[in-house]
Amino acid sequence: MTPTGTDLGPAVGERPLVVVAGRPNVGKSTLVNRIVGRRAAVVEERPGVTRDRKELDAEWCGYAFTVVDTGGWLSSDDPLDVQVSAQAERAIAEAAVILFVVDVTVGLTDEDLAVARVLKRSGRPVRVVVNKVDSSQRESDAWDAVSLGLGDPWPISALHGRGTGDLLDDVVLLLPTGPGPDDAQEEAEPDGPEAADGQGSGAPVPRVALVGRPNVGKSTLFNRLVGDERSVTHDAPGTTRDAVDTVVVTPEGTVCFIDTAGMRRKSRTERGTEYFSVLRALDALDRADIALLVIDATAGITHQDQRLAERIGAAGCPVVVVLNKWELIATEDRTDILVDVGDRLAFLGEAPVLKVSALSGLGVHQILPAVAAAEQAYHSRIPTGELNRALKSIQVAHPPVGARIQYAVQGASDPPTFTLFTNGRLQPTYLRYVERGLRERFELGPTPIKLRVRAKGANGGGGRRR
Ligand code: GDP
Ligand code: GDP
């Protein structure tokens, strides 16, 4: 491939570029994943793109744009004189907006200052994004970034999605194209396997990634799920080499399991190589609508399980947690394990946790209905009237202090995203209470949901950040 500068290709000019810049480890790729969300499933890196340049199509509120991840472009050998590759320079020059990411947990470094100089010289609009502001306690630290001289910082947590909605609201307003019909949105709908049951429903089949560490029992579980009275209708070729997707018709509907080659007959390379299997899992996640995270209950929640869960969380797709080998857990140990799941996988929110034994089949029957419920919840649309009635009763049951929610709409589905219009700032704990209330009332348990708050009178026309 062309080594530098010449292959930005046809992407440039088609859609405005949102360029994500910053030194390594500040969370650029996490932010890109967050912005692209599940769309990553259907976006391909453009041909001719070198490995370290990632261009992904995204859209927000009807604005379509291309996100460019500059990971690896800004060499860190000499922090005082950041080397910018010719490619990066072109992307920066053509950027509609540059998101300059820094890390609140580390504070500003010399390298950050050097990147800031490069970006300032570019003359392009820059938003300083202070990442890893995982809680409001960190928010005041974010203001140090004012000293970069690139305007007010935007505190966010790319990992948890905190503040990213407000940032995107601001970013799209800087794009040259106005809002409008998003041509790409249509085409971005997956041409995935259509219902293979011959009934011609035409509805896309949910794509499920079965992920987990080696030896947790994925293959055993997969074989059990496709076995029994269910019929495997066809193998759909996946996008990666060797990937085989399996479409299964079940009484609960049709499901496509992604990248099942290794589960049907294991190759030697696949066995036991944690690294390879994690890469594979990440690839499958990118193409999935729903993740089934399989955990070996006898091993407890390991660091690697947490990392996978983090990635699933960042991908924004619903997840069903499967605690496998449950029959081996002594009755008196069971509560501890469930508490452990709650603690260590807390960021998966209200994901259902199923206790199964793939070997004996115990509990396996719960999985496909849970997948169907998650799929349904993910696409939920709550009528405005019902939503507002629910919010009223939620507020009556436990009135907020200082401000109240006056009105709300569901701005988007996949995942359900609610905008709350308030007359002041709501406490984060209160928002969590509202979120729980909405989940319960509308059975949104298995899907991530997003709440965005618009406080009347907040400056700059944007909403208050959460
Ligand atoms: P990049 O090198 O800039 O692309 O950074 P990555 O996206 O690979 O992130 C580097 C590390 O920071 C990873 O371990 C991420 O999980 C972590 N990270 C990213 N965003 C956040 C965040 O908002 N909060 C926290 N606590 N960690 C984050
Ligand atoms: P994978 O690497 O995640 O695909 O795991 P496998 O399906 O190959 O299973 C790894 C090992 O765990 C095999 O020896 C299985 O027989 C065993 N195993 C899988 N599920 C269960 C279960 O529910 N209970 C018990 N006791 N063993 C299981």
Side-chain angles (χ1 to χ4, degrees):
M1 295 291 98
T2 330
T4 54
T6 54
D7 62 347
L8 271 180
V12 176
E14 281 176 4
R15 288 165 167 244
L17 290 187
V18 173
V19 172
V20 180
R23 58 178 184 79
N25 274 319
V26 292
K28 293 183 297 299
S29 36
T30 310
L31 177 60
V32 169
N33 280 338
R34 171 67 59 186
I35 295 175
V36 173
R38 69 188 283 276
R39 293 270 178 232
V42 287
V43 174
E44 277 150 33
E45 291 187 26
R46 296 202 156 71
V49 167
T50 51
R51 244 202 84 248
D52 63 356
R53 194 187 72 227
K54 271 218 196 104
E55 288 187 0
L56 297 169
D57 288 343
E59 65 98 20
W60 180 256
C61 296
Y63 293 81
F65 53 94
T66 297
V67 189
V68 183
D69 182 354
T70 63
W73 284 3
L74 302 166
S75 118
S76 52
D77 295 347
D78 179 359
L80 293 177
D81 181 21
V82 170
Q83 296 290 311
V84 183
S85 75
Q87 271 193 350
E89 215 152 335
R90 268 193 67 180
I92 287 171
E94 298 184 32
V97 194
I98 300 166
L99 300 181
F100 172 27
V101 188
V102 298
D103 180 341
V104 79
T105 64
V106 174
L108 297 180
T109 67
D110 287 345
E111 220 179 332
D112 290 327
L113 299 179
V115 175
R117 281 196 293 274
V118 170
L119 297 184
K120 239 182 260 180
R121 272 203 304 273
S122 77
R124 308 306 304 152
V126 176
R127 288 292 176 269
V128 176
V129 176
V130 183
N131 190 30
K132 310 194 188 178
V133 180
D134 297 342
S135 70
S136 52
Q137 284 99 295
R138 282 275 187 199
E139 218 154 278
S140 51
D141 298 337
W143 288 91
D144 290 350
V146 168
S147 66
L148 292 168
L150 286 162
D152 284 357
W154 290 78
I156 68 155
S157 167
L159 198 56
H160 305 292
R162 199 167 186 277
T164 50
D166 291 324
L167 173 66
L168 286 172
D169 282 355
D170 180 65
V171 162
V172 294
L173 293 179
L174 294 165
L175 302 180
T177 49
D182 175 12
D183 50 351
Q185 200 174 359
E186 251 55 77
E187 93 197 15
E189 280 314 318
D191 295 321
E194 296 285 310
D197 53 12
Q199 288 160 12
S201 72
V205 172
R207 288 161 305 181
V208 179
L210 246 172
V211 298
R213 295 180 304 111
N215 288 316
V216 294
K218 295 181 297 298
S219 318
T220 313
L221 185 61
F222 171 74
N223 285 312
R224 206 163 259 289
L225 286 167
V226 304
D228 301 347
E229 81 274 31
R230 294 164 172 121
S231 54
V232 178
T233 54
H234 68 260
D235 290 341
T239 56
T240 48
R241 207 162 52 85
D242 301 334
V244 177
D245 298 345
T246 306
V247 178
V248 186
V249 179
T250 78
E252 291 84 20
T254 306
V255 171
C256 174
F257 288 98
I258 291 178
D259 190 10
T260 46
M263 290 173 204
R264 318 180 107 197
R265 88 199 109 64
K266 287 192 163 182
S267 65
R268 224 164 274 121
T269 45
E270 187 111 11
R271 240 181 220 293
T273 58
E274 184 118 358
Y275 176 73
F276 185 65
S277 76
V278 167
L279 281 188
R280 237 188 143 117
L282 295 182
D283 182 63
L285 276 179
D286 275 350
R287 297 193 290 128
D289 298 314
I290 295 173
L292 267 186
L293 174 61
V294 185
I295 288 173
D296 180 343
T298 64
I301 314 297
T302 68
H303 181 62
Q304 205 57 254
D305 295 325
Q306 284 182 296
R307 287 206 48 202
L308 273 172
E310 238 175 66
R311 290 299 186 133
I312 296 170
C317 65
V319 55
V320 174
V321 178
V322 176
L323 285 178
N324 191 31
K325 311 194 187 177
W326 193 250
E327 90 285 0
L328 294 178
I329 307 293
T331 318
E332 63 270 24
D333 295 335
R334 294 186 168 179
T335 318
D336 285 351
I337 291 180
L338 292 174
V339 169
D340 205 32
V341 170
D343 286 351
R344 298 196 191 208
L345 302 181
F347 43 88
L348 291 182
E350 310 285 313
V353 177
L354 306 179
K355 293 147 257 180
V356 314
S357 166
L359 202 58
S360 69
L362 260 174
V364 171
H365 67 277
Q366 310 165 77
I367 293 178
L368 291 170
V371 164
E375 170 77 1
Q376 211 171 11
Y378 190 69
H379 298 307
S380 293
R381 282 213 166 265
I382 315 292
T384 305
E386 269 180 54
L387 176 62
N388 283 284
R389 274 193 295 281
L391 282 168
K392 195 166 174 187
S393 83
I394 286 170
Q395 294 188 97
V396 166
H398 180 26
V401 180
R404 59 188 319 277
I405 302 165
Q406 297 168 313
Y407 184 72
V409 292
Q410 180 178 353
S413 66
D414 308 5
T417 303
F418 302 98
T419 305
L420 312 178
F421 296 89
T422 69
N423 59 358
R425 191 173 174 101
L426 289 174
Q427 294 303 311
T429 47
Y430 196 78
L431 285 171
R432 276 195 293 279
Y433 160 74
V434 170
E435 179 177 337
R436 265 197 318 275
L438 291 175
R439 274 186 191 290
E440 271 165 28
R441 266 157 241 247
F442 299 113
E443 297 181 351
L444 298 173
T447 177
I449 69 177
K450 294 184 186 165
L451 290 187
R452 304 173 50 217
V453 180
R454 308 255 129 196
K456 212 192 264 166
N459 51 8
R464 287 270 171 94
R465 298 166 202 171
R466 276 189 63 189

